[in-house]
């Protein structure tokens, strides 16, 4: 049975040594003795690792033995360990919101490792503050939501289609919307795919056919997003055809697979100034159409508009291999054509691309390393040829190459309209313009907003294999809530006192999650499942009409007073 | 309904962990098999992670514990897959559970036993720079937190048995065969380091102050053998100049592997920044060939390393390292290919960034299941572009470094991908082949 409101707080404090991380600095037994003296604390103990299975069973034991109805763990950061301790409390019959964490590692032992005595005093302070709050916290009930078992995939390129196919095979309905009149995305413009040299069109056609024949997938082409409302499990997207026809889609999850654009190097290296200066993508098209002429010499320049000092600082990942592949294709067509690749650092990574590089060298493709501070220049010569001047970094001398065709390798960039989409979905873009994931390392294809995911080049430049891996990845991530069917969401949300709300709308404008709107009465209303409890609304409400569950003014003031040494018994 | 269906995940590193959590999270049963006593894999050994400098264990540990606690996940640590038969949707698997000589249901992880154990052994987790006992957990945050007796070094004095209040020590424990029935299998066996002793010119193994990067990572780590103090192992001195060598045994046609390990340029940059954090006066040089900065945020990370942290990058593959046998100091010879000059440099420490190669376990698992490996020993994808996580055996998938060089986020994303494909097999029903 859950322990409920109104009971006198009976607090248990568990102080973690964290091996030597805390215990090596803070005098933990002393801190435990101090904790026992705090009001409403009926039990305190120390653990080598409170988060270990042994430590967790100690918490459960304590709850049972001392009839605890509040638990404080003094250890590390709630960012990583709070869910674990909360779940432990829950298993022992204590509502998980009756748990409070005191960080005596990051905030204390690590920061003051050379001052053990002062650190011990500070640990006592931190625990006193946590106890002050623990005395006032209340059990909370988490809202439950049903999940619509269908997904919206935005973007019908290889990433979007792969994700859709996998989700469909897993038993979910999928809507793909594609802004172009046909499916395929970037792959439609490509000729051969490295390193296998598969024909892009053949591969694409197979996937498009599989999508078309899958009854669980509905495709809407020439269609864009107009509005997205709702939250995980219950999104409502309004999508619109070019002809103005709008449709409402109810989906449980959303996948962003909008792909990328290619940078157009206007004003660089004679592009659009001299006829035979083209981009790598234009070369790809010439090869695809069989329109490439037999030239005496082709010169490719890498990192045009990427890895810049300011602006597009990122490496576009795919350009080196794309250049190598197209150089090899040119050599296959015209063995006598000389191909130069002017590069900064050749991004031939992973299991296969180094071998590809060696193969290209064997085919006679010439590589010249240039330096960022001494980039190549292209000038038009009188005989109709192009002259490329470049400082050869390894020969340490300026060389001049006369060529017929100059090919510029330009980076993938974010679409112009990505900003709008990011606002519709309330998901962020990074400083490079690409969609920004929830956690760079361990949540690479999730957004911080629940129920929305990202894959393919919308996330960052990547090649087909990498896009497909990520697309399959989101097909798992999005499937989880849809397979579970019912979710609980965090109860730490904003609460509006309707009697105080003046309907000024400040909170509506400021809420980064779009969780607040004005209802028919003109007062703010919080959609609990969308609220992340960030507190922006509460802090800015001029009428003090908004308070935060689990972070009420009363609780925060009690903590502040405790910090000053005033703990009212 | 789905809860009766099960997937076998082989390998308890970050890829195996992520695949397991995804599958368990959607209600499928998972058997996670790990050959060492704890899950966590390579990521557990790292101090920080690039390019965000997150504390590795701090972000990994919650996932490890989630695996332990998840009702749908059965952890089979200190175990190996011995036999696999059947086909997609209906595999029979035999797992060998090696004896820990500890009753896992009784051991509380208190560590009393290890305090009394008289035998000290070099600790694999610390790359043998630190010491553990013959009864041990590989690291304090191990999951499960259950002790293991290292049969090879144990002298059977039985002090541990006498001190264990939980009566968990059981010297009669026998190897156990566990039979499982699963619908799909995911191989996530990770990587190991190329044996740099094969490149004798760098003196690894002969010179105390020549380390490999994973050893150096432990040396930087607060949980490592020096408590995070950056010291030379030969004399305990704080280093004043450190050199990192890239491509040691990788991108090489002689005596190494031909591929690029993908992560070294950036993790060396991370370790270099950590050096400057630990010892601001220590000079750091990274000897590289091509700076591989292709990942999200990598170029910006390297730029910060140069501009804000003063890390120096030199384009060269050093030819030789020579030790001054009296001082332990090192001199390295290199040809700076930008300045086109042959030079030498005196340094206190050399950190070799070796090729990261597929584990021997990959080969063993491949022969047990009948999986094809590519010429470098990575699990061969059914289609490298469009079916990267599929293998030649339907119903068996692969993810993480064992499928090809990749970093942590790529491994995590691909692990989810393998989970999706495994879930497809289950959704399609037993016996039917996945598309």
């Amino acid at each position: 049975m859950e322990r409920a409101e109104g009971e006198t707080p009976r607090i248990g404090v568990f102080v973690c040594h964290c091996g030597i991380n805390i215990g090596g600095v803070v005098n933990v037994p002393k801190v435990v003795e101090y904790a026992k003296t705090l009001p409403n604390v009926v039990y305190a103990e120390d653990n080598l690792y409170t988060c270990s299975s042994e430590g967790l069973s100690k918490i459960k034991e304590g709850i049972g033995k001392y009839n605890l109805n509040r638990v404080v763990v003094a250890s590390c950061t709630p960012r990583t360990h709070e869910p674990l301790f909360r779940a432990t409390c829950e298993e022992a019959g204590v509502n998980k919101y009756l748990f409070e964490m005191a960080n005596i590692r990051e905030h204390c032992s690590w920061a003051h490792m050379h001052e053990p005595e002062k650190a011990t005093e500070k640990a006592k302070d931190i625990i006193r503050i946590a106890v002050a709050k623990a005395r006032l916290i209340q059990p909370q009930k988490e809202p439950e939501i049903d999940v619509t078992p269908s997904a919206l995939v935005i973007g019908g390129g290889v990433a979007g289609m792969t994700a859709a196919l996998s989700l469909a095979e897993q038993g979910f309905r999928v809507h793909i919307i594609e802004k172009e009149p046909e499916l395929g995305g970037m792959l439609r413009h490509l000729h051969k795919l490295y390193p296998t040299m598969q024909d892009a069109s053949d591969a694409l056609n197979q996937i498009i056919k599989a999508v078309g024949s899958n009854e669980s997938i509905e495709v809407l082409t020439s269609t864009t997003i107009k509005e997205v409302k709702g939250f995980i499990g219950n999104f409502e997207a309004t999508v619109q055809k070019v002809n103005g026809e709008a449709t409402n889609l109810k989906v449980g999850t959303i996948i962003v697979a909008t792909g990328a654009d290619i940078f157009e190097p206007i004003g660089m290296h004679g592009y659009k100034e001299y006829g035979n200066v083209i981009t790598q993508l234009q070369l790809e098209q010439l090869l695809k159409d069989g329109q490439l002429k037999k030239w005496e010499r082709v010169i490719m320049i890498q990192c045009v508009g990427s890895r810049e000092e300011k602006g597009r600082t990122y490496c576009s990942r795919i350009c080196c291999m794309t250049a190598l592949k197209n150089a090899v294709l040119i050599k296959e067509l015209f063995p006598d054509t000389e191909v130069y690749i002017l590069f900064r650092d050749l991004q031939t990574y992973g299991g296969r691309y180094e071998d590809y590089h060696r193969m290209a060298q064997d085919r006679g493709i010439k590589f010249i390393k240039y330096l960022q501070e001494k980039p190549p220049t292209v000038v038009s010569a009188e005989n109709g040829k192009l002259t490329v001047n470049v400082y050869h970094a390894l020969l340490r001398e300026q060389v001049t190459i006369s060529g017929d065709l100059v090919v510029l390798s330009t980076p993938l960039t974010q679409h112009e309209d990505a900003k709008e989409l990011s606002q519709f979905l309330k998901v962020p873009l990074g400083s490079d313009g690409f969609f920004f994931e929830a956690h760079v390392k361990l949540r690479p294809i999730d957004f911080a907003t629940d129920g929305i995911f990202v894959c393919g080049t919308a996330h960052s430049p990547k090649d087909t294999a990498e896009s497909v891996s990520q697309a399959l990845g989101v097909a798992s991530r999005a499937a989880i809530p849809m397979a579970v069917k019912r979710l609980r969401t965090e109860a730490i949300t904003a609460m509006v006192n309707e009697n105080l709300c003046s309907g000024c709308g400040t909170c509506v404008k400021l809420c980064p999650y779009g969780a607040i709107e004005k209802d028919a009465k003109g007062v703010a209303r919080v959609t609990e499942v969308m609220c992340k409890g960030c507190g922006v609304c509460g802090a800015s409400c001029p009428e003090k009409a908004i308070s935060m569950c689990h972070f009420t003014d009363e609780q925060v003031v009690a903590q502040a007073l405790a910090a000053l040494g005033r703990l009212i018994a | 309904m789905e809860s009766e269906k099960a997937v076998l995940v082989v390998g308890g590193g970050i890829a195996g962990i992520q695949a397991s959590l995804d599958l368990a999270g959607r209600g499928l049963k998972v058997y996670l098999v790990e050959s060492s006593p704890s899950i966590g894999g390579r990521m557990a050994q790292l101090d920080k992670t690039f390019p965000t400098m997150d504390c590795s264990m701090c972000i990994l540990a919650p996932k490890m514990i989630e695996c332990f606690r998840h009702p749908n996940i059965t952890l089979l640590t200190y175990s190996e897959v011995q036999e696999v038969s059947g086909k997609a949707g209906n595999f029979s698997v035999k797992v060998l559970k090696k004896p820990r000589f500890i009753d896992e249901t009784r051991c509380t992880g208190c560590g009393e036993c290890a305090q009394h154990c008289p035998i000290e052994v070099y600790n694999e987790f610390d790359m043998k720079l630190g010491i553990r006992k013959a009864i041990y957990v590989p690291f304090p945050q191990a999951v499960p937190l259950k002790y293991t007796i290292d049969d090879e070094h144990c002298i059977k004095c039985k002090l541990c048995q006498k001190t264990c209040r939980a009566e968990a020590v059981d010297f009669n424990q026998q190897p156990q065969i566990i039979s499982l029935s699963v619908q799909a299998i995911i191989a996530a066996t990770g990587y190991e380091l190329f044996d740099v002793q094969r490149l004798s010119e760098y003196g690894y193994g002969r010179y105390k102050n020549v380390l490999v990067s994973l050893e150096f990572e432990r040396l930087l780590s607060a949980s490592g053998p020096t408590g995070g103090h950056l010291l030379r192992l030969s004399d305990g001195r704080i280093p004043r100049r450190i050199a990192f060598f890239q491509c040691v045994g990788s991108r090489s046609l002689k005596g190494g592997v031909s591929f690029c390990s993908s992560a070294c340029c950036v993790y060396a940059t991370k370790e270099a920044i950590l050096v400057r954090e630990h010892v601001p006066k220590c000079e750091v040089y990274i000897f590289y060939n091509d700076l591989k900065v292709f990942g999200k945020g990598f170029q910006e990370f390297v730029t910060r390393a140069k501009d804000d942290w003063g890390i120096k990058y030199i384009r060269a593959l050093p030819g030789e390292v020579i030790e001054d046998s009296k001082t332990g100091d090192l001199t390295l010879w290199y040809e700076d290919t930008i300045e086109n000059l042959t030079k030498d440099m005196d340094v206190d420490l050399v950190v070799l960034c070796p090729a990261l190669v597929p584990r021997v376990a990959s080969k063993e698992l491949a022969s047990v299941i009948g999986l094809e490996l590519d010429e470098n020993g990575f699990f061969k994808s059914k289609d490298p572009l469009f079916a990267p996580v599929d293998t030649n055996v339907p119903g068996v998938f692969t993810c993480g470094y064992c499928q090809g060089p990749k970093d942590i986020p790529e491994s995590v994303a691909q692990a989810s991908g393998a989970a999706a494909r495994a879930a497809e097999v289950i959704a399609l029903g037993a016996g039917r082949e996945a598309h």
Side-chain angles (χ1 to χ4, degrees), chain B residues 136-195:
Chain B
Y136 71 106
V137 286
F139 51 99
Q141 300 88 341
V143 170
L145 194 66
K146 306 290 175 188
Y147 276 73
T148 302
I149 292 176
D150 166 1
D151 200 25
E152 193 190 333
H153 296 98
C154 173
I155 54 163
K156 306 286 186 301
C157 71
K158 304 205 174 171
L159 271 175
C160 52
Q161 197 164 32
K162 283 171 204 141
T163 50
C164 179
R165 278 175 286 182
E167 295 178 4
V169 179
D170 174 9
F171 281 98
N172 296 320
Q173 210 171 56
Q174 297 298 315
Q176 205 186 333
I177 300 286
I178 298 167
S179 296
L180 307 172
S181 165
V182 299
Q183 277 67 47
I185 298 172
I186 294 174
T189 46
Y191 65 84
E192 57 197 24
L193 307 187
F194 172 79
D195 177 11

Side-chain angles (χ1 to χ4, degrees), chain B residues 305-323:
Chain B
K306 285 180 187 169
D307 296 350
D308 302 347
W309 291 97
I311 313 294
K312 305 272 193 311
Y313 291 81
I314 296 175
R315 192 176 186 278
L317 183 62
E320 195 180 9
V321 179
I322 294 164
E323 185 195 50

Side-chain angles (χ1 to χ4, degrees), chain A residues 49 80 84 91 166 170 307 313 317 345 347-348 350 354-355 358 396 435 437 441 459 476-477, chain B residues 22 26 50 58 65 69 108 140 251 258 262 291-293 296 299-300 338 340 410 414 416 424:
Chain A
Y49 288 101
T80 55
L84 179 68
E91 283 165 19
S166 177
Q170 292 175 59
R307 299 179 73 194
T313 52
R317 187 172 185 130
D345 291 283
Q347 305 299 317
T348 46
E354 279 292 327
D355 286 337
R358 275 186 278 269
R396 291 170 59 78
F435 282 100
E437 59 272 35
K441 278 317 224 200
H459 164 271
S476 171
R477 302 298 298 158
Chain B
D22 269 27
R26 62 187 293 156
F50 63 75
C58 303
I65 292 165
R69 294 170 46 84
T108 64
R251 304 180 69 198
S258 69
S262 292
L291 217 49
K292 307 279 174 148
V293 291
K296 190 167 182 170
Q299 174 67 59
E300 292 84 346
I338 299 294
N340 208 9
E410 288 180 280
Q414 202 179 49
S416 287
E424 284 180 47

Side-chain angles (χ1 to χ4, degrees), chain B residues 36-50:
Chain B
S36 76
S38 172
I39 59 168
R42 291 295 181 198
M43 190 174 170
Q45 290 180 288
L46 306 182
D47 181 29
K48 301 277 163 58
T49 58
F50 63 75

Side-chain angles (χ1 to χ4, degrees), chain A residues 387-403:
Chain A
T387 303
V388 178
N389 293 304
V390 60
Y391 178 79
H392 193 305
L394 304 186
L395 293 180
R396 291 170 59 78
E397 63 184 35
Q398 197 73 28
V399 295
T400 299
I401 316 162
S402 170

